[in-house]
Amino acid sequence: MINYLYIHIPFCIKKCVYCDFYSIPLKPRIAEDYTDALCNEIKLRTLSSTKWPLAELRTVYIGGGTPTILNEKDISKILDTVRNQYSVRPEAEITIEANPETITLEKAEALLKAGINRISIGVQSFIDRELSILGRSHNADDAVKAVKDTRDAGFKNISIDLIYGIPSFKFQISDFKSQIRNWEYSLQKTLELNPEHLSAYELTPEKNTPLYEDIKSGRLIMPDEDVIAEMYYSAIDTLTRDGYNHYEISNFAKPEYECVHNLNYWNRGEYLGIGSGAHSFFNDKRSCNIKDVSRYVEIANKGEIPLTEETGITGDEALKETIFLGLRKTDGIDISMLPYGKRPAIKKAADELASHGLVELDNNIFRLTRKGLLLSNEVIVKVLLYIEESRLS
Ligand code: SF4
């Protein structure tokens, strides 16, 4: 049974220069059509409930894009349809992602009234120069105001997203101490706003983005690797000292405020995704909806579920997913829960990586160390390679 629902809103005010997600500008007519298509898909999935058996929902997560670009009426309509079609636990975590320029006190009050009880605000930095390098459409004052407005409206569960490792213009290149000071300033400003949850992501320049091209051409210069490492460690130390639990590579929460929806992903739990380009995972199959918004709307409004592909994930592929998702959590994974025959390969990987101080294996709990968290991508790939080799040998 599925207890976790994701709803995708693929619209943004404008494209940030580092973003490689599919999102498009919102035009008035599209918002209405898309909302109707989402509501249709929600109903269609209920009709085929033997294929998509939804139990009482523990979470609903409205992500994007910038979901708060939709007006209050459309957001309420989507959530009302969810409640009419599925049963939602009274204590369910209902999240919406937001960007500062789309939040006002009135909007935040309306979101709360629509049933949303958690808001995740994409602040990214409290330094205007960095926000402009990222191509964001808000400044630091807008971000502070948006967080205060959501608090004043009555939100008791606010999350703030930050980005570290932001490049500088070649002609403005600052020394590593001021780069770290800037990051610590953003962390301090965040703490002053006292959010219940915080995500700190390292900026990765993705190919086919304007940011990548600017770095390639030398117009923008990335901070050195050791500066980025210091930023990451400074986030861990500052936030844990302030009472936040570092529960996933990039995520921190006050006690009891860990994101239930995302923990389900890292635990490789099942979920249903609604909306263009949304992914679902159920019955050992990962599936994806049509990405193109117009096609999605056309098909959902014709009464068909707009699925494009379904891929079965079993055996070693399932095990690899359990490992690369589970190792993201600082609690790690319990290897006694993994297939018996695969444990020797995982133990071998653990011994080898532990000798470099990257992981620890204690009482069957396999987790990344502080050094391993910093190098998580490389470490996780190494563990997966051990599993692959054990399959071939
Ligand atoms: S607001 Fe978020 S999804 Fe939209 S373009 Fe910027 S980073 Fe991408």
Side-chain angles (χ1 to χ4, degrees):
M1 299 297 269
I2 303 175
N3 301 99
Y4 301 85
L5 178 67
Y6 175 79
I7 299 173
H8 190 64
I9 312 293
F11 308 114
C12 288
I13 289 180
K14 71 168 182 128
K15 200 79 195 157
C16 305
V17 296
Y18 60 95
C19 181
D20 71 339
F21 294 147
Y22 171 76
S23 67
I24 57 171
L26 184 67
K27 299 202 181 95
R29 184 68 218 163
I30 301 183
E32 238 174 82
D33 290 348
Y34 188 76
T35 302
D36 288 344
L38 278 181
C39 295
N40 278 341
E41 189 190 350
I42 292 167
K43 291 177 199 157
L44 287 165
R45 297 279 189 168
T46 334
L47 293 175
S48 63
S49 62
T50 41
K51 197 161 178 236
W52 301 99
L54 283 129
E56 273 203 314
L57 292 177
R58 284 188 193 152
T59 68
V60 179
Y61 192 106
I62 309 180
T66 304
T68 44
I69 203 172
L70 293 184
N71 63 36
E72 296 85 325
K73 197 173 104 275
D74 289 337
I75 294 171
S76 292
K77 187 170 174 186
I78 295 165
L79 282 172
D80 286 347
T81 310
V82 169
R83 275 190 223 93
N84 287 337
Q85 297 296 317
Y86 312 140
S87 135
V88 182
R89 288 190 182 186
E91 75 286 7
E93 176 190 276
I94 305 185
T95 304
I96 194 161
E97 290 180 346
N99 277 322
E101 68 277 22
T102 56
I103 292 293
T104 58
L105 180 62
E106 297 69 37
K107 180 98 173 229
E109 284 170 347
L111 295 175
L112 208 58
K113 203 162 151 222
I116 289 162
N117 53 27
R118 181 174 186 274
I119 187 158
S120 173
I121 306 177
V123 170
Q124 319 311 359
S125 167
F126 283 99
I127 294 185
D128 285 341
R129 184 162 54 93
E130 291 187 342
L131 289 168
S132 125
I133 287 172
L134 294 174
R136 301 287 300 183
S137 28
H138 67 271
N139 61 28
D141 288 345
D142 298 333
V144 172
K145 184 176 177 305
V147 178
K148 287 190 171 160
D149 281 346
T150 47
R151 188 65 86 198
D152 290 346
F155 271 91
K156 295 194 169 44
N157 192 351
I158 300 175
S159 180
I160 290 181
D161 277 7
L162 293 178
I163 289 180
Y164 62 94
I166 298 171
S168 312
F169 282 115
K170 193 177 171 190
F171 58 86
Q172 278 179 330
I173 186 90
S174 46
D175 63 89
F176 76 94
K177 280 202 177 122
S178 52
Q179 290 172 338
I180 291 167
R181 254 200 320 272
N182 285 348
W183 169 238
E184 287 177 345
Y185 174 81
S186 283
L187 283 174
Q188 281 311 324
K189 286 298 280 183
T190 305
L191 290 178
E192 282 168 25
L193 294 166
N194 200 20
E196 283 67 30
H197 187 281
L198 199 155
S199 306
Y201 297 108
E202 178 185 340
L203 181 68
T204 313
E206 302 288 353
K207 281 192 179 151
N208 302 321
T209 60
L211 181 92
Y212 182 88
E213 294 307 319
D214 278 346
I215 292 168
K216 212 168 94 184
S217 72
R219 189 168 163 263
L220 287 173
I221 313 282
M222 286 296 283
D224 291 343
E225 266 178 31
D226 47 354
V227 172
I228 292 177
E230 198 163 331
M231 287 172 171
Y232 182 55
Y233 287 145
S234 136
I236 296 176
D237 295 339
T238 308
L239 297 171
T240 50
R241 213 172 28 235
D242 220 79
Y244 289 83
N245 170 25
H246 181 202
Y247 72 105
E248 191 267 353
I249 294 171
S250 311
N251 283 280
F252 303 82
K254 288 190 177 174
E256 312 290 324
Y257 283 95
E258 290 82 6
C259 178
V260 180
H261 187 84
N262 287 341
L263 273 169
N264 180 55
Y265 292 145
W266 300 318
N267 288 328
R268 200 169 177 267
E270 295 175 327
Y271 56 91
L272 170 63
I274 302 275
S276 74
H279 292 259
S280 302
F281 177 50
F282 177 62
N283 238 351
D284 294 327
K285 286 193 199 84
R286 293 206 178 267
S287 57
C288 182
N289 277 359
I290 287 171
K291 218 176 197 181
D292 180 85
V293 171
S294 315
R295 286 280 298 141
Y296 169 82
V297 168
E298 192 188 315
I299 292 177
N301 288 345
K302 248 189 349 202
E304 290 166 31
I305 294 181
L307 267 180
T308 47
E309 52 194 69
E310 249 184 14
T311 319
I313 314 274
T314 51
D316 275 5
E317 291 313 306
L319 174 66
K320 285 184 193 171
E321 282 193 0
T322 303
I323 288 173
F324 82 69
L325 293 169
L327 278 181
R328 298 193 61 87
K329 295 176 298 169
T330 53
D331 279 351
I333 40 182
D334 181 350
I335 66 165
S336 67
M337 307 298 284
L338 302 179
Y340 187 78
K342 294 294 168 186
R343 289 184 217 161
I346 294 162
K347 282 197 173 127
K348 200 169 157 204
D351 287 344
E352 161 69 15
L353 294 164
S355 70
H356 296 284
L358 295 165
V359 300
E360 57 191 24
L361 180 59
D362 188 17
N363 271 334
N364 283 326
I365 301 299
F366 182 32
R367 61 163 79 91
L368 300 178
T369 58
R370 182 174 163 96
K371 184 175 166 195
L373 285 165
L374 175 71
L375 303 169
S376 56
N377 288 341
E378 293 87 331
V379 178
I380 293 172
V381 165
K382 280 242 161 73
V383 179
L384 301 184
L385 275 175
Y386 270 93
I387 294 172
E388 189 62 25
E389 278 166 15
S390 77
R391 192 173 67 90
L392 298 174
S393 63

